Amino acid sequence: MTFSKILIANRGEIACRVMRTARNLGYRTVAVYSDVDRDAPHVRLADEAVHIGGSAAADSYLRVDALLEAARKTGADAIHPGYGFLSENAGFAQACLDAALVFIGPPPAAMLAMGDKARAKRRMLLAGVPCAPGYLGEAQDDARLTEEALKLGFPLLVKAVAGGGGRGMRLVRSAKEIAQAIVGARREAQGAFGDGTLMLERLIDNGRHIEIQVFADDHGNAVYLGERDCTAQRRRQKVIEEAPSPVVNAAMREAMGKDAVAAALAVGYRGAGTVEFIVDADLKHYFLEMNTRLQVEHPVTELVTGFDLVEWQLRVAAGQPLPAIQADIKLTGHAIEARLYVEDPYAGFAPQTGTVRFWRPQQALFDGVRIDAGIEEGSEVSPYYDPMVAKVIVHGRDRDDAIRRLRAALENAPLLGLRNNARFLADLVNHPAFRAAAMTTTLIDQWQEAGEALLQRPLADDQAWCVAASALAMQSGANWRADSVAAFDIPLRCDELTKTLRVHPDRSGQVTVTLAGQQHRVRIIDFKDGHLRYEIDGVTRSAIAVRHQQELHIALGGSSFVLHEVSPFPSKDAALDATRALSPVAGKVTQIQFAVGEGVKEGQALVCVEAMKMEMWLTAQAAGTVVALHVKVGEQVESGALLIEIELQDKEEA
């Protein structure tokens, strides 16, 4: 099972991460890329790269034929699938073996056994691994699923038996939600995995999500490398992971570890795998599923054990025994990983697309800090893939130490140009519920519904407004005013708030800014290469900032803001025009719930646009009649694209 050149059948940060270890071990690497990823960092990091198709995953990263042809053309003799895409596809693993390629992952039979969640749970019950109650039957008609759901009781989860990552999963809390949950989960599962088969699982309410990292080789050895606590989730997807879990003691760790190893051995496992458990209020654990691949959150295990798990994967795939036995595996300190998503946590976690204006993670790499990323300055974030663009991972002497380092790292490595969740992550790990290890898998969603302060958009303070006004005022030729004007007003906008500031520059380069009746003395000392030094009211400070046209992107106090000068000339805001329905994001149209000529009511759902694993519904802003439809199901649309035209209903008619 020797090999010398590895094709990484993936993209983004995981492709870069695998390449780094492969190179350290002396392997050559091959990248693959889609149209939109032609200039991505992982392409340049590899020794060779092959174009495999269009931007949509179905046209590139999910094409088995294109991946195998890329291996043939470059002479790659092994394939690492990363995570996501085809990483848990037994057919792909078998196709690699049939092509005489080493598949750096488990055997296809083990993937089949664990890839179908219903079949996996049946195997686990036979192996004595505790499982939550559920329906695992083959009958899939809506009536049978509804009948079984009523038997189980609520709350419960409707889950796709294939895939993962929260796709094809719906939470049901009452009988009236069953029908919509079944339809939605089946549709999403079919689109994501090509398999709409569903199962039902009784929800362990207010539970914790704790998983065990396991490894096995071809020599009969199997070990567990501690646990990871992945309880902090939004919409069933993880945002924070830590190791060890703050609620797991040594006895519980051993019990869960032994169950996880039993699960792996029950299916003849080899390589890296993760056995996921849900833990109830009494700290009893129940098998959820096994992920037959490397996990996004594997770095926290690496930091507390000192082992490189990708290196373990490569050595096991080459036929070598595990590098350590169970007695060698010790956990040291505490590690936390924060997933940096380009999404707006203050607007329902809506995914974002656009250009990365500033991203220099190296300036945050102090002791105990690691950042894995798949973007760089100038990268274009598209709607075709997952919104996670980087992971900020820290290691500390204890949990408090790790939290403090994580908050500092997030502040020291701001991402400017797109809305992202960095401030939310920093606030989350500092929240009393997180600090007290009182999170549950649904708590963030509950906070969102309740309007928790954590999910209220941070507002720019007076300092940010004054610095932005000064920086924009001092731009040569950046405004429309005559040079002879000594003092002038600058109307600035940040998010939904507009303020007018009186600006009076003097010959020394200092600017007097009046805001809400208060005067501030501001001097821009230096502003270049993304770093802004300024003095305000006698205190010198620094910030990360970049100009883009009439915008100032600035990171202050752990938050990022975009302030721009409002044009003095009136313009119509198309986004507020109820006769024109615009796409809220760049993505794919998955549903249209009307026909041209039909009447619609205010608030009625019209079109569903899917982007980066999320479904967003476009609703009618007023009652009227649809007179034009500019899109069809399956079509990719840009953010702000005109989708529907509506002739508004006369108010007297209404």
Side-chain angles (χ1 to χ4, degrees), residues 599 623-625 647-654:
T625 302
E647 184 178 283
L648 301 185
Q649 184 177 341
D650 191 295
K651 290 186 178 180
E652 293 184 1
E653 294 179 24

PDB file of all heavy atoms in Angstrom, residues 599 623-625 647-654:
ATOM      1  N   GLY A 599     -52.524  36.025  -7.395  1.00  0.00           N
ATOM      2  CA  GLY A 599     -52.486  37.037  -6.357  1.00  0.00           C
ATOM      3  C   GLY A 599     -51.671  36.539  -5.167  1.00  0.00           C
ATOM      4  O   GLY A 599     -51.652  35.344  -4.867  1.00  0.00           O
ATOM      5  N   ALA A 623     -49.440  43.125  -0.681  1.00  0.00           N
ATOM      6  CA  ALA A 623     -50.390  42.325  -1.468  1.00  0.00           C
ATOM      7  C   ALA A 623     -50.407  42.808  -2.911  1.00  0.00           C
ATOM      8  O   ALA A 623     -50.224  43.993  -3.194  1.00  0.00           O
ATOM      9  CB  ALA A 623     -51.783  42.428  -0.859  1.00  0.00           C
ATOM     10  N   GLY A 624     -50.609  41.869  -3.838  1.00  0.00           N
ATOM     11  CA  GLY A 624     -50.665  42.243  -5.238  1.00  0.00           C
ATOM     12  C   GLY A 624     -50.765  41.028  -6.134  1.00  0.00           C
ATOM     13  O   GLY A 624     -51.102  39.920  -5.679  1.00  0.00           O
ATOM     14  N   THR A 625     -50.440  41.227  -7.412  1.00  0.00           N
ATOM     15  CA  THR A 625     -50.494  40.154  -8.403  1.00  0.00           C
ATOM     16  C   THR A 625     -49.129  40.011  -9.065  1.00  0.00           C
ATOM     17  O   THR A 625     -48.508  41.012  -9.455  1.00  0.00           O
ATOM     18  CB  THR A 625     -51.544  40.467  -9.491  1.00  0.00           C
ATOM     19  OG1 THR A 625     -52.820  40.639  -8.871  1.00  0.00           O
ATOM     20  CG2 THR A 625     -51.621  39.333 -10.510  1.00  0.00           C
ATOM     21  N   GLU A 647     -47.498  43.599  -9.284  1.00  0.00           N
ATOM     22  CA  GLU A 647     -48.376  44.773  -9.403  1.00  0.00           C
ATOM     23  C   GLU A 647     -49.158  44.869  -8.108  1.00  0.00           C
ATOM     24  O   GLU A 647     -49.896  43.940  -7.743  1.00  0.00           O
ATOM     25  CB  GLU A 647     -49.320  44.609 -10.594  1.00  0.00           C
ATOM     26  CG  GLU A 647     -50.198  45.821 -10.847  1.00  0.00           C
ATOM     27  CD  GLU A 647     -51.078  45.615 -12.071  1.00  0.00           C
ATOM     28  OE1 GLU A 647     -50.565  45.736 -13.199  1.00  0.00           O
ATOM     29  OE2 GLU A 647     -52.270  45.299 -11.880  1.00  0.00           O
ATOM     30  N   LEU A 648     -48.949  45.952  -7.375  1.00  0.00           N
ATOM     31  CA  LEU A 648     -49.532  46.057  -6.050  1.00  0.00           C
ATOM     32  C   LEU A 648     -51.032  46.232  -6.095  1.00  0.00           C
ATOM     33  O   LEU A 648     -51.590  46.877  -6.999  1.00  0.00           O
ATOM     34  CB  LEU A 648     -48.894  47.225  -5.289  1.00  0.00           C
ATOM     35  CG  LEU A 648     -47.377  47.146  -5.085  1.00  0.00           C
ATOM     36  CD1 LEU A 648     -46.910  48.306  -4.215  1.00  0.00           C
ATOM     37  CD2 LEU A 648     -46.979  45.827  -4.447  1.00  0.00           C
ATOM     38  N   GLN A 649     -51.670  45.658  -5.106  1.00  0.00           N
ATOM     39  CA  GLN A 649     -53.116  45.755  -4.975  1.00  0.00           C
ATOM     40  C   GLN A 649     -53.488  47.160  -4.525  1.00  0.00           C
ATOM     41  O   GLN A 649     -52.841  47.745  -3.659  1.00  0.00           O
ATOM     42  CB  GLN A 649     -53.611  44.739  -3.938  1.00  0.00           C
ATOM     43  CG  GLN A 649     -55.105  44.672  -3.763  1.00  0.00           C
ATOM     44  CD  GLN A 649     -55.487  43.578  -2.774  1.00  0.00           C
ATOM     45  OE1 GLN A 649     -54.705  42.683  -2.495  1.00  0.00           O
ATOM     46  NE2 GLN A 649     -56.685  43.662  -2.249  1.00  0.00           N
ATOM     47  N   ASP A 650     -54.511  47.709  -5.144  1.00  0.00           N
ATOM     48  CA  ASP A 650     -54.982  49.036  -4.754  1.00  0.00           C
ATOM     49  C   ASP A 650     -55.438  49.003  -3.304  1.00  0.00           C
ATOM     50  O   ASP A 650     -56.155  48.101  -2.882  1.00  0.00           O
ATOM     51  CB  ASP A 650     -56.148  49.466  -5.665  1.00  0.00           C
ATOM     52  CG  ASP A 650     -56.484  50.932  -5.475  1.00  0.00           C
ATOM     53  OD1 ASP A 650     -56.919  51.291  -4.360  1.00  0.00           O
ATOM     54  OD2 ASP A 650     -56.329  51.711  -6.432  1.00  0.00           O
ATOM     55  N   LYS A 651     -54.994  49.982  -2.513  1.00  0.00           N
ATOM     56  CA  LYS A 651     -55.339  49.989  -1.094  1.00  0.00           C
ATOM     57  C   LYS A 651     -56.838  50.036  -0.864  1.00  0.00           C
ATOM     58  O   LYS A 651     -57.362  49.484   0.107  1.00  0.00           O
ATOM     59  CB  LYS A 651     -54.665  51.177  -0.405  1.00  0.00           C
ATOM     60  CG  LYS A 651     -53.151  51.024  -0.299  1.00  0.00           C
ATOM     61  CD  LYS A 651     -52.537  52.133   0.521  1.00  0.00           C
ATOM     62  CE  LYS A 651     -51.037  51.923   0.655  1.00  0.00           C
ATOM     63  NZ  LYS A 651     -50.403  52.996   1.450  1.00  0.00           N
ATOM     64  N   GLU A 652     -57.575  50.704  -1.766  1.00  0.00           N
ATOM     65  CA  GLU A 652     -59.034  50.757  -1.608  1.00  0.00           C
ATOM     66  C   GLU A 652     -59.654  49.388  -1.826  1.00  0.00           C
ATOM     67  O   GLU A 652     -60.609  48.997  -1.166  1.00  0.00           O
ATOM     68  CB  GLU A 652     -59.627  51.768  -2.585  1.00  0.00           C
ATOM     69  CG  GLU A 652     -59.220  53.199  -2.269  1.00  0.00           C
ATOM     70  CD  GLU A 652     -59.905  54.200  -3.192  1.00  0.00           C
ATOM     71  OE1 GLU A 652     -60.707  53.759  -4.046  1.00  0.00           O
ATOM     72  OE2 GLU A 652     -59.639  55.395  -3.053  1.00  0.00           O
ATOM     73  N   GLU A 653     -59.035  48.592  -2.751  1.00  0.00           N
ATOM     74  CA  GLU A 653     -59.522  47.231  -2.981  1.00  0.00           C
ATOM     75  C   GLU A 653     -59.285  46.376  -1.759  1.00  0.00           C
ATOM     76  O   GLU A 653     -60.082  45.520  -1.390  1.00  0.00           O
ATOM     77  CB  GLU A 653     -58.799  46.612  -4.190  1.00  0.00           C
ATOM     78  CG  GLU A 653     -59.113  47.280  -5.512  1.00  0.00           C
ATOM     79  CD  GLU A 653     -58.345  46.619  -6.641  1.00  0.00           C
ATOM     80  OE1 GLU A 653     -57.972  45.442  -6.467  1.00  0.00           O
ATOM     81  OE2 GLU A 653     -58.112  47.255  -7.662  1.00  0.00           O
ATOM     82  N   ALA A 654     -58.103  46.582  -1.131  1.00  0.00           N
ATOM     83  CA  ALA A 654     -57.760  45.794   0.041  1.00  0.00           C
ATOM     84  C   ALA A 654     -58.693  46.088   1.191  1.00  0.00           C
ATOM     85  O   ALA A 654     -58.991  45.244   1.997  1.00  0.00           O
ATOM     86  CB  ALA A 654     -56.326  46.098   0.458  1.00  0.00           C
TER      87      ALA A 654
END
